[in-house]
Amino acid sequence: MPATRPRIVIAEDHTLVREGMRQLLADDFEVIAAVDDGRALLAVAERLQPALILLDISMPRLNGLDAARQLAGVCPDSRLVFVTIHADPAYVQAAFAAGAHGYVLKSEAASGLIAAMHEVLAGRRHLSPGLAGVERSPAVPEALTNRQREILQMVAEGRTAREIGEVLAISHKTVEFHKASIMRVLGLRSTADLTRYALAQGIVPT
Amino acid sequence: MSVRLLLADGHALVVESLAHLLSGRFTVVGAANDGEAALALAARLLPDVLLLELSLPRLDGLSVVRALRCGSPGVRCVFVTGHADLGHVRAAFAAGAFGYVAKDAAPEELYEAVARAGRGETYVTPGFGLDSAEVPPRQLTEQRSGGLTPRQSEVLRQVALGRTGKQIAAMLGITLKTVESHRSCIARQLGLRSPAGFTRHAVQHGLIDLADSSTPTGAAAAPEFPPADGLRSSDDRRARGPARSG
C-alpha cells in the first residue's frame, strides 16, 4: 500500500455496488466519501476537493452527466471518471462534453477500473476498450440550462414542485416557472410529455 | 458451515464488488457474467445459494431460476437487482426465487437474504408492503404482472400519454369518476404515486413507445388493449371499441 493514496469520491446509487467498490478500491485509493446521487456529489466534491471522482450516469435527483457539467465550477482540479453500464456512443460523447477524463464500463474487471484511474490521475484520458474514438464526435448542442435539466429530471422522477423547490432551495412558484419554460422550449404540453422526453434523453433511466 | 455462494451479474465490476462485500461472511465459490454460464456453473458447483440479477445476457434471471428448479432444486436463488417494482418481485417469487434484494439496499440486507436462503427461508427487500418473514412465496405471486385488467391497462396507457381524466372518459365512453377510480386502483396496485410514475411504468413495460406522438390530444394509435368485457359498472357498457382510433 503506497504511503499516500489518492483521495477519491464515489457517486453510485446502488448501495451494494457502492460499498463493494469502496472495499475493492481501498488498497489503491483513499475513499474519502461515497454518495448516492449527483446533488450529494456536488456538495462533498466542493468541500473535499478530491483528486478523482468516480461517478455513475444514472442516479436519482441529479444524474451523473448533469452533475459533471457543474463539477467543473465546484472542483476544477478533480479528475472525473464515469463508471457505467452505458456503452452507447451518445453517452460517451455526452460524458466527455460534460468534462469527463475517463469512461469505464461496468462490464470491465476491477483491475481495468483501477488501471484507468491511475492513467487519468497521470493526466491522460481513458476509455474502456472498444469505445476508443467515439468520444470525438461532435456533441449535440444543449437546449436546456443546467437548472432546467435538474428540474426536468426531478419532474420525471415524480416529485412535486414543492418537493423540487425544497431540494433546490427555491420556491415552488419558481419551479413551476422553470417547468413552463422547459415545456415552451421543447414544445411539450404535459408532465407526461416531459417524463417521456426525459426517458428518451436518458436524463432518467428507463 | 458457511453458506456456499455463486454470483451472477452481467457486469464484471458489479460481481467483483458484491464478492468483496460477501466473502468475509460466506464462501464465494464462483462467478458468472451471463445466464447460461450461471446455469452451467450452478449445475456443476451446486452452491447453496445463487445470487443473480434479473437482467442477464444470453439467458435472463427468471429463466435461470426456472431451469434450476427442475434441474438442481437444491440451489436456492436470490435476486440482487436494479429492478425495484412489485411486478418484478412477484415474477421472481413465481419463478421460484427465495429472495429479492434491491441493489440500493444496505449490505446488511444482502447478508440477511443470503443467510435466510441458506436456511430455506424467504426474504424480500422492505418497501413493497410485503413481509418476508410472514408471507410465503406463493402469496406474493397471486397477482401476476401487477394483475391489471385490460381496462386498467388502457387507462394506465392513456394517463401515461398525458391525457386528462376528461379526455380518457370521453375516449373510453365512461364517466370521469370511473376513470378516477381506475386511476387510484392502478396507483395502489402498482405502487405509483404520480403521473410521471405512470409514464415511467408504461414505458418500462412496453405499454407506450417513446416514439408515440407527444401531443396529448394528437391522433394516437388505437389502444392495444380491447375494452374489458364484463365490467360491472354501467358506465362501461358503451365501451365496445376504441372511441378514437388514429
Side-chain angles (χ1 to χ4, degrees):
Chain A
M1 197 180 291
T4 55
R5 293 163 296 157
R7 300 162 73 245
I8 70 160
V9 167
I10 301 173
E12 154 72 56
D13 62 326
H14 288 145
T15 308
L16 291 175
V17 179
R18 186 173 69 242
E19 292 308 311
M21 278 172 63
R22 188 206 278 267
Q23 294 186 14
L24 199 80
L25 298 170
D27 285 348
D28 295 77
F29 303 96
E30 185 190 350
V31 182
I32 51 177
V35 296
D36 66 356
D37 71 31
R39 301 217 70 79
L41 172 60
L42 290 177
V44 301
E46 178 162 33
R47 188 159 49 83
L48 302 174
Q49 299 291 320
L52 185 145
I53 294 168
L54 291 183
L55 69 173
D56 196 359
I57 288 181
S58 306
M59 290 191 287
R61 288 175 287 280
L62 185 66
N63 66 68
L65 292 173
D66 286 320
R69 289 190 183 97
Q70 299 188 37
L71 283 169
V74 160
C75 52
D77 297 330
S78 300
R79 314 288 287 172
L80 307 184
V81 176
F82 280 92
V83 183
T84 173
I85 61 170
H86 298 290
D88 185 335
Y91 279 107
V92 182
Q93 287 154 20
F96 282 95
H101 302 94
Y103 195 99
V104 176
L105 294 175
K106 282 184 179 168
S107 52
E108 273 203 53
S111 55
L113 172 63
I114 291 169
M117 292 167 72
H118 285 304
E119 226 184 293
V120 164
L121 282 168
R124 290 184 291 272
R125 300 224 284 184
H126 181 92
L127 275 97
S128 275
L131 295 177
V134 301
E135 84 282 13
R136 278 190 282 277
S137 312
V140 183
E142 184 52 62
L144 301 178
T145 65
N146 282 341
R147 181 42 56 99
Q148 286 174 333
R149 290 175 63 88
E150 291 179 341
I151 287 169
L152 174 58
Q153 171 166 355
M154 286 190 270
V155 167
E157 287 173 345
R159 295 173 208 277
T160 65
R162 213 167 276 280
E163 289 166 353
I164 297 169
E166 273 167 28
V167 172
L168 298 176
I170 57 180
S171 80
H172 67 95
K173 285 199 171 140
T174 306
V175 173
E176 294 290 2
F177 167 79
H178 281 299
K179 193 172 153 189
S181 310
I182 298 166
M183 291 205 261
R184 198 176 54 245
V185 169
L186 300 176
L188 301 176
R189 297 207 263 177
S190 65
T191 302
D193 287 349
L194 289 173
T195 306
R196 283 193 294 151
Y197 177 85
L199 287 164
Q201 294 294 308
I203 293 169
V204 290
T206 47
Chain B
M1 202 181 74
S2 170
V3 176
R4 294 172 67 254
L5 266 181
L6 177 63
L7 308 179
D9 190 290
H11 298 107
L13 198 49
V14 175
V15 169
E16 288 186 65
S17 299
L18 293 176
H20 263 267
L21 281 182
L22 292 158
S23 56
R25 296 162 190 257
F26 308 102
T27 308
V28 179
V29 295
N33 289 134
D34 68 62
E36 283 181 9
L39 193 53
L41 270 182
R44 187 154 59 81
L45 301 173
L46 294 176
D48 300 310
V49 176
L50 166 61
L51 281 186
L52 76 172
E53 169 59 271
L54 275 164
S55 305
L56 287 173
R58 296 164 74 90
L59 187 67
D60 68 274
L62 291 175
S63 302
V64 172
V65 173
R66 286 192 205 102
L68 280 175
R69 200 165 55 164
C70 305
S72 312
V75 179
R76 294 168 185 148
C77 297
V78 173
F79 283 105
V80 182
T81 176
H83 299 280
D85 62 272
L86 199 45
H88 280 112
V89 177
R90 288 187 167 127
F93 285 101
F98 275 77
Y100 195 102
V101 181
K103 273 182 177 161
D104 59 6
E108 289 68 29
E109 269 197 57
L110 183 60
Y111 304 149
E112 172 79 13
V114 172
R116 282 210 205 180
R119 298 194 298 264
E121 298 166 14
T122 55
Y123 182 87
V124 60
T125 285
F128 294 109
L130 304 168
D131 186 336
S132 41
E134 293 162 15
V135 184
R138 200 169 356 107
Q139 272 173 267
L140 299 177
T141 63
E142 273 169 5
Q143 287 178 294
R144 264 178 299 149
S145 68
L148 294 190
T149 66
R151 173 49 58 95
Q152 284 176 327
S153 293
E154 185 50 32
V155 171
L156 167 62
R157 218 174 80 84
Q158 298 301 339
V159 173
L161 285 169
R163 299 204 165 85
T164 65
K166 263 189 190 161
Q167 288 171 330
I168 298 170
M171 182 177 301
L172 301 180
I174 58 181
T175 67
L176 180 58
K177 255 195 162 162
T178 307
V179 173
E180 299 293 356
S181 128
H182 280 313
R183 201 149 61 177
S184 58
C185 255
I186 296 164
R188 206 171 43 241
Q189 216 161 318
L190 300 180
L192 306 174
R193 285 180 307 182
S194 65
F198 276 67
T199 303
R200 279 202 311 275
H201 182 93
V203 170
Q204 284 160 359
H205 292 79
L207 293 180
I208 62 171
D209 195 322
L210 287 176
D212 279 356
S213 155
S214 65
T215 48
T217 51
E224 283 158 27
F225 296 90
D229 292 318
L231 287 181
R232 265 165 293 159
S233 164
S234 61
D235 292 323
D236 285 312
R237 253 180 296 164
R238 290 194 289 126
R240 285 279 130 211
R244 193 180 298 197
S245 56

